[in-house]
Amino acid sequence: MAYSEKVIDHYEHPRNVGTFGTQKEIKERKDIGVGLVGAPECGDVMQLQIKVDPESGKIEDAKFKCFGCGSAIASSSLATEWLKGRTLEEGESIKNTEIVEELSLPPVKIHCSVLAEDAIKAAIEDYRHKNGIEHD
Amino acid sequence: MNKPIYFDNAATTRCDPRVVEAMLPYFTEKFGNPGSRNHSFGWVAEDAVETARRQVAALLGADRKEVIFTSGATESNNLAIKGAASMYAKAPAGSSGRGHIITAMHEHKAVLDPCKRLQKEGFEVTYLEPPADGVITAEQVAGALRDDTILVTIMWANNEIGTINDVPGIGALCHERGVIFHTDATQWAGKMPVDVNKDNIDLLSMSGHKIYGPKGVGALYVRRRRPRVRLTAIQEGGGQERGMRSGTLNVPGIVGLGAAAALCAEEMEAERERLGAMRRRLETTIIEQLDEVQVNGHPDKRLPHLTNISFGFVEGESLMMACKDIAMSSGSACTSASLEPSYVLKSLGVGDELAHSSLRLSLGRFNTEEEVDFAAGQIVESVRKLRDLSPLYDMHKEGIDITKIEWAAH
């Protein structure tokens, strides 16, 4: 299958790869929210970490790691780019369809964008949960 | 060295230029129909077809009258399985209890789907579950044989993992019990020696384009003596190929298949040795440089030119994308909506995540050692790059057992 230029660019030069520490360290840190979604047997696992500035409530940094196809890697890479500088509410409003559009994902790869949206939501939820922030 | 490098010879091979050369006159000046009995155009075409029949028969240790030309191995498999089932059925069409067929779960779809069709038409089918090494033995078949078994169809070498089933042993067992034995030898014939008599084979399918011949042509060996195997035709018409396969013969294709078979017979021994050494070099280089790597299938009972390797904690499709200068196959079918990993690897008990991260590399006549070294280097580099990206590899290094995590499967 042919990939779009943007997918290839993100795949070859993924933005914001990494973590803010080991799984154990991250658990202890209240300023970090983690979203781990997907399953190895399905061929996709995304890990998205956001670092939130408690003063402004804005996402000051985001990192990802991804086990998955090129579109999954590109979707999570793009998600980290879009998350930086946003508030939690703004981050939460990112829709998978925007990712599909930006990366020109074909129909068989839409699940990659859904997974990225899930990872964003899970990371924000994890941050809120750690900090006892109620949200509806 | 030209890129991309072609390491997908189990999917198809480049037509040998010597084969193309042999075929060319049969498109233009020698264009006759071998069925035309009353002029020289027909005789010339018929001579060419009979030469090819002899060449294919020689490759198989068969008599030329036992070779039926088809459009490829899929048609050969369909004709062998459906044709034999219909001919040897124990009850007429429309009734149940028409007979029992044995095959295996990791056969090619061109065998499995005809078997499934026959199940709907009143036959019973046993799908043998391969052991972890992928090799079906005569003992396993013996355990499944019944009084009403009419046909056993077991492939010679598996197309995804290259494992070699005990075809001579299974054939001997079938002959002892009076059961027809078919083998799909698409990956075997032309690469490894065949003697249909010593190997106790009644029906054998093969393809032109897997052995450096053209696409759209194949052959079915049909035993004529001890026992004389009869088939009900699927395609009916002009009665060509002893009535088993009607339709004007594909003369240029058949000439190409014959020429390809002759070249394979001639070069088989040297080629096996050369490709086997290259395959070992490829595997050794990769295994030495990477951890969490697994070669799938039996360590020795494998085709010399094919390897199927799983790389832990990386996903197959992205691995293929990273190895952009190598043309090969992935065990993952992530491009389909089903996200199903290879059913062949699954049938061997390879976990879904390792099945998703497997590569099949199949070497062929036109590959060089330089290409092998380049490919091994690119694979190692790509796996390292993707593991740097992989959350699963991080967890593995932290000592977290990823099979113990409750994943939210989607």
Side-chain angles (χ1 to χ4, degrees):
Chain A
M1 182 181 33
Y3 288 94
S4 71
E5 267 175 46
K6 279 184 180 162
V7 168
I8 292 169
D9 181 47
H10 274 281
Y11 174 78
E12 284 182 351
H13 312 283
R15 334 289 202 252
N16 310 307
V17 176
T19 64
F20 295 108
T22 63
Q23 299 285 326
K24 213 174 147 204
E25 289 162 4
I26 293 296
K27 249 184 202 159
E28 316 280 308
R29 284 184 61 174
K30 288 211 157 187
D31 59 333
I32 309 278
V34 184
L36 182 63
V37 296
E41 61 268 27
C42 300
D44 299 293
V45 174
M46 271 182 205
Q47 175 182 271
L48 187 65
Q49 301 186 342
I50 52 169
K51 187 167 180 283
V52 182
D53 174 16
E55 297 293 307
S56 64
K58 281 190 178 171
I59 298 165
E60 56 177 331
D61 203 358
K63 287 191 185 297
F64 88 97
K65 286 230 167 179
C66 180
F67 163 90
C69 65
S71 302
I73 291 169
S75 297
S76 37
S77 167
L78 179 66
T80 58
E81 273 194 325
W82 280 359
L83 281 171
K84 282 196 203 180
R86 294 203 189 198
T87 64
L88 297 181
E89 285 72 23
E90 285 164 352
E92 227 168 9
S93 71
I94 294 173
K95 291 274 170 295
N96 82 292
T97 47
E98 298 169 66
I99 296 170
V100 171
E101 200 173 320
E102 173 69 17
L103 297 175
S104 313
L105 296 181
V108 294
K109 293 298 180 188
I110 287 176
H111 69 273
C112 299
S113 70
V114 173
L115 207 60
E117 186 187 319
D118 289 351
I120 293 170
K121 295 213 157 76
I124 292 171
E125 176 54 33
D126 182 57
Y127 172 80
R128 287 196 176 121
H129 182 74
K130 274 182 176 170
N131 292 277
I133 302 169
E134 289 290 326
H135 188 77
D136 42 40
Chain B
M1 190 170 59
N2 287 325
K3 287 183 231 168
I5 297 165
Y6 191 73
F7 277 151
D8 206 8
N9 288 279
T12 195
T13 55
R14 174 179 160 186
C15 211
D16 193 302
R18 294 168 288 182
V19 169
V20 178
E21 193 69 25
M23 289 170 70
L24 285 175
Y26 294 92
F27 287 102
T28 49
E29 68 263 33
K30 299 177 181 174
F31 62 89
N33 184 336
S36 301
R37 293 287 156 81
N38 36 19
H39 53 68
S40 62
F41 293 89
W43 304 330
V44 166
E46 192 186 14
D47 278 352
V49 167
E50 292 316 308
T51 299
R53 210 184 291 283
R54 264 194 297 277
Q55 287 168 320
V56 172
L59 181 71
L60 305 177
D63 185 273
R64 68 180 179 86
K65 290 185 190 134
E66 298 175 308
V67 175
I68 302 292
F69 290 117
T70 66
S71 64
T74 292
E75 188 194 334
S76 297
N77 286 337
N78 271 269
L79 177 55
I81 295 167
K82 292 176 184 167
S86 167
M87 182 59 76
Y88 296 97
K90 296 202 176 283
S95 48
S96 61
R98 300 183 70 198
H100 176 237
I101 296 164
I102 299 172
T103 185
M105 290 165 71
H106 60 333
E107 290 284 319
H108 193 274
K109 292 282 184 194
V111 164
L112 293 176
D113 285 358
C115 287
K116 278 184 201 151
R117 160 80 62 178
L118 291 172
Q119 274 178 294
K120 288 184 194 141
E121 294 177 358
F123 295 89
E124 281 181 63
V125 180
T126 297
Y127 299 91
L128 297 174
E129 189 182 333
D133 66 15
V135 176
I136 301 286
T137 60
E139 291 71 47
Q140 205 182 350
V141 175
L145 275 177
R146 307 192 323 207
D147 288 341
D148 65 339
T149 305
I150 53 172
L151 173 70
V152 170
T153 170
I154 297 291
M155 70 194 338
W156 208 324
N158 185 274
N159 52 301
E160 277 191 39
I161 47 178
T163 49
I164 300 167
N165 296 318
D166 178 17
V167 160
I170 296 167
L173 172 74
C174 289
H175 280 177
E176 224 169 82
R177 300 283 293 264
V179 174
I180 301 292
F181 176 51
H182 167 249
T183 187
D184 174 1
T186 307
Q187 300 292 344
W188 177 279
K191 319 279 171 70
M192 302 289 275
V194 179
D195 183 328
V196 286
N197 293 313
K198 275 193 200 140
D199 298 328
N200 309 308
I201 293 159
D202 296 325
L203 295 161
L204 178 147
S205 304
M206 62 173 289
S207 169
H209 74 100
K210 308 282 193 194
I211 62 167
Y212 314 98
K215 292 169 184 63
V217 67
L220 177 65
Y221 159 79
V222 184
R223 175 171 290 281
R224 266 167 67 94
R225 297 180 60 199
R226 283 180 286 172
R228 181 183 181 89
V229 176
R230 296 187 308 144
L231 299 175
T232 306
I234 296 175
Q235 181 162 302
E236 292 164 315
Q240 288 89 345
E241 300 299 271
R242 293 162 53 212
M244 283 191 255
R245 203 276 186 180
S246 287
T248 297
L249 294 175
N250 167 12
V251 179
I254 289 167
V255 168
L257 174 62
L263 287 171
C264 282
E266 207 177 290
E267 297 178 6
M268 183 181 297
E269 219 165 306
E271 207 156 275
R272 263 171 77 182
E273 206 160 303
R274 187 177 77 90
L275 298 183
M278 275 162 53
R279 202 269 317 264
R280 282 191 295 278
R281 186 181 172 101
L282 179 70
E283 284 179 350
T284 311
T285 314
I286 290 171
I287 292 166
E288 275 173 1
Q289 295 189 56
L290 293 172
D291 60 336
E292 302 300 325
V293 172
Q294 164 186 322
V295 176
N296 295 307
H298 195 284
D300 310 312
K301 290 179 184 164
R302 284 194 291 148
L303 291 173
H305 56 276
L306 192 152
T307 184
N308 186 304
I309 311 178
S310 290
F311 301 86
F313 317 111
V314 296
E315 190 271 339
E317 195 181 323
S318 57
L319 184 53
M320 300 257 279
M321 197 173 165
C323 299
K324 59 183 173 189
D325 297 317
I326 315 167
M328 54 190 166
S329 279
S330 160
S332 167
C334 184
T335 45
S336 69
S338 66
L339 295 174
E340 273 296 298
S342 148
Y343 71 93
V344 171
L345 293 174
K346 277 181 85 164
S347 76
L348 265 63
V350 175
D352 278 3
E353 64 271 23
L354 274 182
H356 271 302
S357 65
S358 73
L359 296 178
R360 178 190 72 180
L361 293 111
S362 42
L363 314 183
R365 182 175 291 166
F366 304 105
N367 289 125
T368 63
E369 204 160 280
E370 187 191 11
E371 290 176 332
V372 166
D373 290 344
F374 177 86
Q378 188 163 77
I379 290 169
V380 167
E381 190 188 318
S382 303
V383 170
R384 284 186 179 146
K385 176 193 156 165
L386 290 168
R387 281 182 177 169
D388 283 343
L389 269 177
S390 171
L392 303 178
Y393 192 56
D394 277 353
M395 291 177 193
H396 168 70
K397 282 191 299 185
E398 279 183 48
I400 299 167
D401 183 353
I402 63 164
T403 62
K404 298 270 158 40
I405 297 176
E406 270 187 48
W407 299 101
H410 59 106

